[in-house]
Amino acid sequence: MTNILTLWTLGLTEEECGILRQNAGASYRCQVLDTMDSRHLAELLDSFASSREEKEEPLLLWLGSKAWLHLAKETPDLMRRLSYLPVVLLLSENPEPHLLEEALDAGFQQVLRAPLQKKHVHEALSRALEVRNLYQDMSRMSREILMTRELLNRKSEVCALMLRLFSVVSEAEDARDLLRRCGDELRSLLDLRGIHALWWGGGREVFAFIGQDDASNRLDAASSRAWCEFLLGEAPTEIRTMSVQLICCGGSTGSPDAGKVLWLPLETRGNRQGMLALMFAHPLLAGRDMALALDAIRHFITLALEGFMRDAREELQSARACGKAG
């Protein structure tokens, strides 16, 4: 179905409006404006200016010579606002030289002399369509440029996050400190509400790292147990039978909400060692760059946790051996 385009006419005679309608064809409709109703005209111009990117009408304003002179004299502000529109000015058959010069300097899309003819209508409409298509192309290109810039900014933010996480891994004192620091960094880019982990690699017990703040929004005992059960509920069956050691670390508030939790497997050399649970304020819709970043983050955390937990187990075994020797 062909879209009907609107043509505004202001100050044209009935005969000129008839010629315009006849030669424009069925794809156009003419809307006659009242030269004297300046308030209504101002509202129309404001409406067009504020919604130009969403509406494609009017395509063209046909302006009569008397209406132009009236607006220029009585309402010069309205005349300036006509720059919002592509305008065809129709002068009298023999305009005074100074009027013709003013018209040519006024920035109209086209200046014609009466009488209005078929070729004038076709030429003006063809030019107006070209201008509209050019504007649409420019608008589309501008949106694409803005989207590209936004994507580049996002890539830069993700890269900066990755660099900070490298530093976090190297500066963390233990597994608890590692998860707390990672949570703080992720919050700078994502609406993260909690970071939790379950680790069972290389031992006979499971470590449940539950995010917990020390401020007023501290998780209570019931919420901590709920998170522990929630994490174990996603673990393999054989893991659930192991003894569980609960470790509270900073970086989380609230009870588990399955719909807002992103699960990341913690794997080394193809073996699953644990799980990372990231809870967000809203379900995360990660783009390609963020998905790759999260995948890299889980590898960082896996390797760091493996080292920390191995050291912790060795220290525990040494302490037990010393206790037996004593």
Side-chain angles (χ1 to χ4, degrees):
M1 182 178 179
T2 304
N3 291 330
I4 303 299
L5 302 177
T6 298
L7 304 175
W8 282 355
T9 67
L10 185 61
L12 266 60
T13 65
E14 291 186 8
E15 180 182 358
E16 290 167 342
C17 287
I19 294 173
L20 178 59
R21 290 191 184 94
Q22 180 180 356
N23 291 286
S27 298
Y28 299 88
R29 68 180 183 90
C30 294
Q31 180 179 349
V32 180
L33 305 181
D34 186 354
T35 310
M36 304 305 294
D37 191 351
S38 58
R39 181 177 179 180
H40 177 60
L41 181 58
E43 291 175 352
L44 285 174
L45 290 174
D46 289 341
S47 173
F48 175 75
S50 63
S51 60
R52 186 169 184 177
E53 292 192 2
E54 299 177 4
K55 296 182 179 180
E56 297 179 353
E57 54 181 26
L59 175 68
L60 198 59
L61 169 63
W62 292 79
L63 180 63
S65 178
K66 291 182 179 180
W68 169 50
L69 294 174
H70 171 77
L71 291 173
K73 180 180 179 181
E74 302 297 333
T75 54
D77 180 60
L78 273 180
M79 196 62 229
R80 285 192 296 270
R81 287 153 75 183
L82 284 176
S83 60
Y84 298 148
L85 297 169
V87 179
V88 173
L89 176 63
L90 183 61
L91 295 174
S92 60
E93 187 172 359
N94 295 304
E96 296 182 15
H98 74 278
L99 288 180
L100 180 59
E101 185 176 350
E102 289 180 18
L104 293 174
D105 292 338
F108 296 118
Q109 178 172 300
Q110 198 168 353
V111 177
L112 303 174
R113 292 187 184 184
L116 184 61
Q117 300 177 26
K118 178 179 180 179
K119 64 177 182 179
H120 294 152
V121 175
H122 289 172
E123 181 182 351
L125 294 180
S126 176
R127 184 176 299 181
L129 286 172
E130 289 178 0
V131 171
R132 186 196 63 169
N133 292 337
L134 178 61
Y135 173 81
Q136 290 178 339
D137 289 342
M138 292 174 62
S139 179
R140 183 168 55 252
M141 290 174 62
S142 297
R143 287 194 295 268
E144 290 175 355
I145 290 172
L146 290 175
M147 289 177 62
T148 301
R149 187 171 70 176
E150 180 66 25
L151 288 173
L152 291 175
N153 288 339
R154 193 66 175 174
K155 288 178 183 290
S156 298
E157 291 175 349
V158 171
C159 290
L161 173 64
M162 299 300 294
L163 291 175
R164 293 197 302 271
L165 285 171
F166 275 125
S167 177
V168 162
V169 171
S170 62
E171 295 175 359
E173 298 177 358
D174 53 27
R176 180 188 306 180
D177 186 42
L178 169 71
L179 292 175
R180 180 185 61 78
R181 288 171 178 261
C182 286
D184 291 341
E185 293 299 337
L186 286 171
R187 281 189 183 86
S188 67
L189 190 59
L190 300 170
D191 196 1
L192 181 72
R193 293 301 173 86
I195 180 169
H196 314 271
L198 203 63
W199 183 267
W200 60 80
R204 297 180 180 179
E205 59 184 341
V206 181
F207 293 87
F209 295 91
I210 308 299
Q212 184 167 342
D213 285 345
D214 294 327
S216 59
N217 52 6
R218 181 182 178 90
L219 282 174
D220 55 26
S223 296
S224 297
R225 286 195 300 270
W227 267 109
C228 185
E229 293 173 0
F230 182 70
L231 293 172
L232 288 171
E234 295 295 325
T237 304
E238 64 273 16
I239 301 301
R240 301 174 197 170
T241 60
M242 296 182 180
S243 62
V244 180
Q245 183 174 340
L246 183 64
I247 301 175
C248 294
C249 50
S252 177
T253 57
S255 299
D257 184 339
K260 299 177 182 178
V261 174
L262 175 66
W263 293 96
L264 298 175
L266 302 178
E267 300 172 336
T268 57
R269 295 173 292 278
N271 297 319
R272 193 172 182 185
Q273 308 286 341
M275 300 182 303
L276 189 67
L278 304 178
M279 181 168 166
F280 298 91
H282 306 283
L284 179 66
L285 299 176
R288 181 176 180 274
D289 292 328
M290 182 53 65
L292 291 174
L294 290 172
D295 188 58
I297 289 169
R298 75 179 179 90
H299 283 296
F300 297 159
I301 293 178
T302 301
L303 294 174
L305 278 178
E306 184 181 34
F308 284 132
M309 299 311 296
R310 182 173 57 247
D311 294 342
R313 285 196 175 97
E314 289 176 356
E315 291 178 3
L316 181 60
Q317 290 174 359
S318 297
R320 288 173 178 172
C322 290
K324 290 180 180 180

